[in-house]
Amino acid sequence: MIQKPRGTRDFFPDELEARRSIEKTMRETVSRWGYREVATPEFENLELFTLRSGEGIIEEMYAFQDKGGRDIALRPELTAPVLRMYVNEAKVLNKPVRWYYFGDCFRYERPQKGRYRQFWQFGIELVGADSAMADAEVMAVGYDLLKATGVSFELRVGDLAMMRSLLDDLEPELQKQVRGCLDKRDYEALEGMGLKSDLAGSLTALIESKTLDDAFAITGAIPEEERIRETFAILDAHEVPYIQNFGIARGLDYYTGCVFEAFAENLGAENQIMGGGAYRLAHLFGGEDTPSCGFAIGFDRVMVSRGESEMQRPQTVAVVATPEGRIFGIRVAAAFRQAGVRTITDLMGKSLSAQLSQAAKHADFVAVIGGREAEAGMVTLRDLASGEQQTLSIEEAVAGVVGSGTR
């Protein structure tokens, strides 16, 4: 028996319908902010990702040569493809460009809870706006999206300008090592790096600072201070709850200003479900130096975090019929379907009792069609939840199910 590849999943109807429902909610939420969907190829030229992240990322990717000898990779994320698309085909559009995406990505890494080799990302990119208003909008959209999914999470917001002001005098390789220690909160290793006497203490204090004023007391005045304060004020105006966090050390070689992360409350160690910030990437792909801000949400982690949360699902009607009522039953089923109701019928010629038993497992309503109902053009409609039963016209039966909403 051939098994599915490691790190991939099969989705049964109930689970897939739950995913589609949350996906729909997220699409509707982000659309209200004016973002429109784009899609890119599932595989791209390998260089697209190594330009951004370096050759080391190849070990974490599904990379291969195609039959023409070209170096190709399954996309490990979607920001680079979306910016490549912008540079190729959309840089003449009016700014800012508001785009969102939803798609599967692939990484060759060890599978674990909420982390798979094939996984899905939902994200936005705001391209061509360089302002506190733009940064705050992106964070507010991210908060709105996660809130709409029903997960419990904490949003942490910071800015890399303060961290960068302390690290700018260090050599790039030493900066990388220091960032690794800070990201892991390994203060002992930081002390052992031979930094200037006060630098390690300042970095540790910045990591632990709780407010903007505390952070600026450590770094002193920096050119970005007014922009940072304005961003936080606008975020407050959006009424977005967040925690100030100036200890975000990752992404200093990528993000250019604001950074933010969201963490679910029930995912254990792998609990980050959103990450993003301001960046400049377009020039790497042959475009002009363009300010951008965006985020990606780990859709699979959202679903894991939701757990067994009850999902609303569409009503299902089972049309069960005796041999004398079968032809009329086809007309009844068609009327329900035309009204948008999910409707199933017996295909195996089962007895009425067997059909009713089967319907009880899958349906919310049963439309019983016997010879008497067929002759009168009526339907005996039974609500399986309440046990109530009425004999109605087709139109009345359809209206009764449609009016009951979802279950």
Side-chain angles (χ1 to χ4, degrees), residues 379-390:
V379 177
T380 298
L381 184 68
R382 182 184 303 170
D383 185 329
L384 291 177
S386 66
E388 294 180 1
Q389 181 172 301
Q390 301 179 73

Side-chain angles (χ1 to χ4, degrees), residues 143-205:
Y143 170 80
D144 210 12
L145 272 173
L146 288 179
K147 183 180 178 182
T149 68
V151 301
S152 297
F153 66 96
E154 177 182 272
L155 178 64
R156 303 175 189 174
V157 179
D159 196 288
L160 293 180
M162 287 165 279
M163 181 72 69
R164 190 172 282 114
S165 71
L166 296 177
L167 295 177
D168 267 352
D169 292 337
L170 301 181
E171 293 295 324
E173 184 58 33
L174 182 56
Q175 281 194 33
K176 183 177 180 181
Q177 295 173 18
V178 169
R179 292 201 307 267
C181 291
L182 295 173
D183 196 37
K184 297 176 182 177
R185 303 296 192 265
D186 190 346
Y187 300 134
E188 184 176 341
L190 185 67
E191 291 287 349
M193 285 188 171
L195 303 176
K196 292 181 181 179
S197 58
D198 59 341
L199 180 55
S202 295
L203 288 169
T204 300

Side-chain angles (χ1 to χ4, degrees), residues 47-67:
E47 186 182 15
L48 178 69
F49 305 107
T50 57
L51 274 173
R52 171 187 167 180
S53 304
E55 297 289 330
I57 195 176
I58 296 176
E59 295 299 317
E60 303 171 11
M61 296 170 61
Y62 283 89
F64 56 94
Q65 285 194 336
D66 67 9
K67 293 183 179 179

Side-chain angles (χ1 to χ4, degrees), residues 85 92 111 140 158 188 192 222-223 240 245 267 278 290 296 316 340 392:
M85 176 182 173
V92 297
E188 184 176 341
I222 59 175
V240 171
N245 180 9
L267 287 182
T290 307
T316 300
L392 307 165

Side-chain angles (χ1 to χ4, degrees), residues 170-400:
L170 301 181
E171 293 295 324
E173 184 58 33
L174 182 56
Q175 281 194 33
K176 183 177 180 181
Q177 295 173 18
V178 169
R179 292 201 307 267
C181 291
L182 295 173
D183 196 37
K184 297 176 182 177
R185 303 296 192 265
D186 190 346
Y187 300 134
E188 184 176 341
L190 185 67
E191 291 287 349
M193 285 188 171
L195 303 176
K196 292 181 181 179
S197 58
D198 59 341
L199 180 55
S202 295
L203 288 169
T204 300
L206 182 61
I207 289 280
E208 301 297 334
S209 62
K210 303 298 184 184
T211 69
L212 273 174
D213 290 335
D214 289 344
F216 286 128
I218 296 163
T219 63
I222 59 175
E224 298 87 351
E225 179 174 349
E226 183 178 350
R227 166 79 170 261
I228 296 169
R229 290 190 182 278
E230 184 182 4
T231 300
F232 277 88
I234 297 169
L235 201 55
D236 290 337
H238 280 296
E239 297 184 345
V240 171
Y242 61 90
I243 292 175
Q244 294 182 6
N245 180 9
F246 306 104
I248 300 175
R250 63 172 188 83
L252 273 169
D253 51 355
Y254 173 63
Y255 291 114
T256 58
C258 76
V259 286
F260 54 96
E261 301 169 327
F263 296 87
E265 297 177 359
N266 58 348
L267 287 182
E270 294 291 334
N271 63 339
Q272 184 177 335
I273 56 176
M274 179 177 71
Y279 64 92
R280 291 175 180 265
L281 194 62
H283 65 284
L284 290 179
F285 308 142
E288 297 178 355
D289 186 24
T290 307
S292 306
C293 191
F295 62 77
I297 290 175
F299 185 76
D300 303 280
R301 294 190 188 184
V302 168
M303 297 308 298
V304 172
S305 179
R306 283 181 52 84
E308 297 300 323
S309 298
E310 185 176 343
M311 298 292 301
Q312 288 189 334
R313 58 179 177 80
Q315 302 283 31
T316 300
V317 173
V319 176
V320 302
T322 64
E324 297 82 8
R326 188 167 295 139
I327 298 301
F328 181 63
I330 293 173
R331 287 178 51 197
V332 172
F336 278 114
R337 293 183 185 121
Q338 288 169 7
V341 178
R342 181 159 59 189
T343 308
I344 57 177
T345 58
D346 171 55
L347 305 177
M348 307 296 290
K350 293 180 179 179
S351 67
L352 190 64
S353 61
Q355 291 180 58
L356 288 169
S357 177
Q358 186 72 11
K361 300 175 183 177
H362 303 289
D364 303 291
F365 292 88
V366 173
V368 181
I369 314 293
R372 185 176 58 185
E373 285 86 1
E375 185 176 346
M378 303 293 282
V379 177
T380 298
L381 184 68
R382 182 184 303 170
D383 185 329
L384 291 177
S386 66
E388 294 180 1
Q389 181 172 301
Q390 301 179 73
T391 300
L392 307 165
S393 68
I394 295 178
E395 294 76 12
E396 290 171 335
V398 169

